[in-house]
Structure formats: structure tokens, C-alpha cells
Amino acid sequence: MRSDAIKTGPDRAPARAMLRATGLDDDAIARPMVAIVHSWSNVSPCNLNLRDLAEAAAEGVRAAGGTPVEFNTIAVTDGIAMGTSGMRASLVSRELITDSIELAVDGHCLDAMVVLCGCDKTIPAAAMALARLNIPGVALYGGSIDHGTLNGKSITVQEVFEAVGAHGAGKIDDAELADVERHACPGAGACGGQFTANTMAMVLTTLGLTPVGLNDIAATDPAKRDAARRCGELAMENLIAGRKPRDILTRPAFDNAARMVAATAGSTNAVLHLLAIAHEARVALSIEDFEPASVHTPVIADLKPGGKYSAVELTAAGGTAIVAQELRKAGMLKDTPTVTGHTLFADLDAAPTATTGQDVVRTVANPLKPRGGYSILYGNLSPEGCILKLAGHGRTSHAGPARVFESEEEAFAAVQAGRIRAGDVMVIRNEGPAGGPGMREMLAVTAALVGRGLGNDVALITDGRFSGATHGFMVGHIAPEAARGGPIALLREGDAIFIDAGTRELRTDADLAARRGSWRPPAPKVTRGALAKFARLVGSAAEGAVTTAFEDTEAPVPASRPARDEERFTQALIGN
């Protein structure tokens, strides 16, 4: 056992003495030692139940013959930080959480692990830590919040952000805004649509790191404790079997996850996070690999933000399993190993089928949309690639004048002041991984646009990110970012911008080369502390915005983008 390094032999008597002080006896010290890592915090509902789940997971470890060792790590709650300088800490926290799990588990030479996660960045961090450490382990999502109800309709925090825009436009008054605020979030759990948390929870299941069905259980459902206990038992089963995360995190598993994100019109953050998880798992994956997954996978789940239903309503209909079952029937998924010791298909065979009469998930033959909810674009504004979010509208192209803003705050103020018009292309730059620093999400801006009735008439492009709750014609993750000299840094007010999912282009006809010589990097916004360190170390958003680097012999070789169809591209230029 790895833990023998801290507990076996005469030389380890001091360590055993300290372990005894925590209440462990000879038998407990002799057993495998299993980390129970969680991001409990009472600052928000997202992680509020994780301490309780940690106790249940520890019970499972003990029942299976192990000794649980509990650690707490941090969480940054996007729904609270959104639209403020605090949002810069969100993506940075993904790296810090991964690092902290590594240090706690490796620092004590523990044998296996259960990672309990709640909100947006804790979930990919759980997978990244499992991949990096590559010791037997299981991840479990704490569960979705239930939807609120107002005037007979289901609402989530998405409607609160959009109500802010409606309030700014004078469409609702203070009392109506307060009514939405008070009804949207009824208890524990992460945001209730197919936003980043629930998208990534589905990804954990599809990658094989969580048993099918367990992440679907809502945070306040009593069955969630049983799920946590089962994960504790599974960690021990994986330890005995020698089953490790990188045995599970295969390239086909990542392909499956990309399909599931596309089929549910999930958060574009999944692209960023899957690239980061693949990086830790040494799996060759590039941003381009997400394009075929989206093109060839229809949207079959009618979920917020672009659809009608919340995560708890998906669970009632049959959960993640029924989405995967539909894709499997169409030959769109591959069979892969999982932490249960069975394959994904075997676990799907054992899962319940769709609830009779449900209309949350359709068949592949009768989809909501013929293709997935995002597209990977390139062009003279994003030579390394970027992501167009397609969910919630039928358009595939937009052309308009640039409205250039140097920060999210500037852009939000312009929307609230009524200075944005239909047809505009809002450009928010210097919000990338290094320039932000931290690559903030633009939900406050995009929700304000929707609230003012401009969601389908205005495009927005940024080197920052979008919340999973964002819908509208939005392009994010533009790389290279402005702060590192990306072409977006050279745009000026009024430049014509063209966005086209058909030709997969984000471009301008402005003479950017003529402006290059006068461009100077902006001064860093932060010069000390964790954000400054992140800004120095972080890589491109097109590669997952990770801060760890590998030797050439360790790093996977990413796929390259295929050559552009020049004739089609030329025709598109003429058409514009």
C-alpha cells in the first residue's frame, strides 16, 4: 500500500503516534487509507450538502475495509461571483483545487480517494486530480438544486440574471425583481439547468468516473447519502482490483462525453474542462475534436438555458442514462470501462429506461435541433480556435459592427444604459485566462441582453467565457487572447465582424496587419498573489487554460485542424 510509507516500520512511530491522536487504533492504521476530499462551504447552496455526503462516503469506506481520511478544499461560487472582480478567481480555483487534492493525497501517501464536488470548477478539478494522481478513486457530484416556482412556472438562477436585464430596461419593477430573486433557489444544490455544473456532472458519468445515475440524484434527495456510501465502497473495490482513473479515461470516453454535451446543448465550458482533464490523463485531444461531435450529434434534451426543463425534471424523466441510451441506439457512443468494473453499455443496460410520457428527452430521429449546441470556429480573429454557442436560437451566422469594450463591466454598463442596438457585435476583450486574469464568464452581460429583448439580435465575442446559463449568439474562448497579442486586441469600434457556423469562421475585413505595429500589451491587472501567478503560468484557452506543463515525452500529440475548404470560404466572403 502507498500508505505503508507513512505507517509501517519502527521509523514511522512518530507518524503513527500522530494518527493515534486522531482516534485511530492499530486496526484502523493497518487498513488502506482512503482520502475523502470535498469542497464543503456554506457560502452558497452548491456545496452545502457535501459535509454530510463525506460522512456517508466514509461509512462506505469503513464497511469495505478501509480507513477514511477527510480533507476539505475550496470552492468559488460562480453565481455569487458573476459580474464582479471575484469571478476572476473561478477558473483559477480549478487549478488550485486540483493542486490541493494532489498535495493532500500525495503528502500523506494515501491509497485511494473519493472526491465530492458541487459547483462549476470543483467538478472538472475532481476529474483532473483523479487523472493526475492516477490512484484508485471515484467522483460524486453533490447534486442539482431543485427548481423554484413562480406564477406556476419553473425558474432557476438563470431567470434571476435575466430579470436584472428586464429591470434595467424598465420592463419589471423592484417588487417583481425581488419576487424572482426570492423564489429561484429553494435549497441545497448547484444551479438547476444544463449549465456548467450539471453538464460536467454528466461528463463525469460519461467518462466513467461516477456510476451511472448517482450524479442525477438531487442534492436534497435522501438517496444522495446512499450514493455517497456506494462511492466509498467503490473506491475500495477499485483499490483491490487495481483499477485506476487512466484505465478509464480513454480517448473513446472523451469522445462520448463530447457527444453528450452536444446532445444536451450543454455548457461550452465543457470544451475547456475536457481539454484540461485530457491533458492530465495524457490523452490526445484538441479543440478541433469537438466539432465533429457537435456536427453529428443532434440536440435531443429540452433543457435550460435554451430549453424548458431543469436538471431535476431530467432526473424524473430517467436522467443521464436515457440521453446516453438514445445516443447508443443511434450508434453515437462507444463502449468504455467505468469505475463500477463494468462497461458503460453494461451500466446503461442496468439503468432504468425513460419514464412513460416524458418529453424532456427525444429520440435521435426526432430531435429538437439537427446538430449540437456549439461550433468550433477559426479565422483571422481566432487562429487557434474559439467556441460559438448555438443553443437557444436558429441562426448560424451574424454580421455587424464591432462595439469594443475592454472589460465586462464596461460592456454591462453599455447594455444597461441602452447603448447596444440590434445587429451590433459586442467585443469584450482582455478577459482571457492571462489578461483577465482568470477568464471571467459574461453571464451578467448576456443575461442583460436577453432581459432587454436583444438576445436574438446581438452577437457577443470575447476571449473570456460564458456561463452554462448563457444563451444567444455568443462566441467565447477566442485564442490567442487579447492580452497576449491575439487579433481581437486590434479591433476598433465599427469594424465589420462576420460570424458563420457554416464556414466555421470568425473574421473581420479590417486591416489588422496595419495596426499590429502600434499595439502594446496592456499592463497586468494583478501583480501579486494567486491571480498573478496564474496569469504567468496559464496556457491558451484552446488547450484548456491549464497551468501544468509536461515534458515532450509525456505530452500527448493533439489532432490538427483539417485544411479549410477554400472554395466554400471564398463563396462565404462574397456572400457577406
Side-chain angles (χ1 to χ4, degrees), residues 123 139-141 198-216 248 253 256-257 260 320-321 324 336-339 344 347-348:
I123 304 172
L140 178 67
Y141 171 50
N198 285 312
T199 299
M200 292 308 300
M202 188 175 281
V203 162
L204 286 183
T205 299
T206 311
L207 287 175
L209 296 177
T210 307
V212 171
L214 298 195
N215 283 343
D216 295 326
I248 294 164
N256 287 347
M260 291 286 282
T320 296
T336 53
T338 77
V339 289
L344 177 64
D347 287 341
L348 290 176

Side-chain angles (χ1 to χ4, degrees), residues 216-453:
D216 295 326
I217 302 169
T220 55
D221 189 326
K224 201 73 187 189
R225 275 190 63 93
D226 298 331
R229 181 183 172 91
R230 177 61 186 139
C231 286
E233 295 169 347
L234 268 176
M236 285 296 297
E237 291 175 17
N238 285 339
L239 178 61
I240 293 167
R243 190 178 303 119
K244 297 180 180 180
R246 285 189 219 155
D247 300 331
I248 294 164
L249 293 171
T250 62
R251 174 56 193 268
F254 283 93
D255 292 339
N256 287 347
R259 290 265 194 180
M260 291 286 282
V261 174
T264 57
S267 171
T268 52
N269 282 312
V271 175
L272 191 78
H273 297 324
L274 278 164
L275 287 169
I277 297 165
H279 179 79
E280 296 293 351
R282 315 296 205 272
V283 170
L285 191 71
S286 77
I287 190 171
E288 176 61 24
D289 294 319
F290 291 87
E291 180 68 15
S294 184
V295 169
H296 300 299
T297 309
V299 177
I300 61 173
D302 194 2
L303 299 172
K304 291 176 178 289
K308 294 189 294 187
Y309 295 108
S310 68
V312 294
E313 291 164 312
L314 172 62
T315 297
T320 296
I322 66 170
V323 179
Q325 286 162 354
E326 288 299 326
L327 295 184
R328 179 189 176 187
K329 289 175 190 174
M332 293 182 174
L333 294 184
K334 303 165 188 173
D335 204 9
T336 53
T338 77
V339 289
T340 65
H342 307 298
T343 68
L344 177 64
F345 286 1
D347 287 341
L348 290 176
D349 287 339
T353 54
T355 303
T356 302
Q358 68 84 24
D359 64 347
V360 182
V361 178
R362 296 190 184 185
T363 65
V364 169
N366 180 35
L368 289 152
K369 293 184 176 66
R371 60 157 294 161
Y374 58 84
S375 182
I376 306 302
L377 308 184
Y378 301 86
N380 66 353
L381 286 176
S382 187
E384 291 179 5
C386 58
I387 304 172
L388 167 64
K389 188 159 191 174
L390 293 166
H393 54 81
R395 288 186 298 147
T396 59
S397 64
H398 182 101
R403 304 296 307 281
V404 180
F405 303 96
E406 303 299 337
S407 70
E408 179 186 8
E409 287 85 357
E410 283 187 17
F412 181 74
V415 174
Q416 292 295 75
R419 299 201 306 270
I420 303 301
R421 300 284 182 264
D424 286 348
V425 180
M426 297 186 70
V427 178
I428 307 179
R429 63 190 180 196
N430 294 310
E431 291 285 5
M439 205 179 181
R440 290 191 291 179
E441 294 176 348
M442 305 292 121
L443 179 58
V445 178
T446 61
L449 287 170
V450 171
R452 298 181 75 90

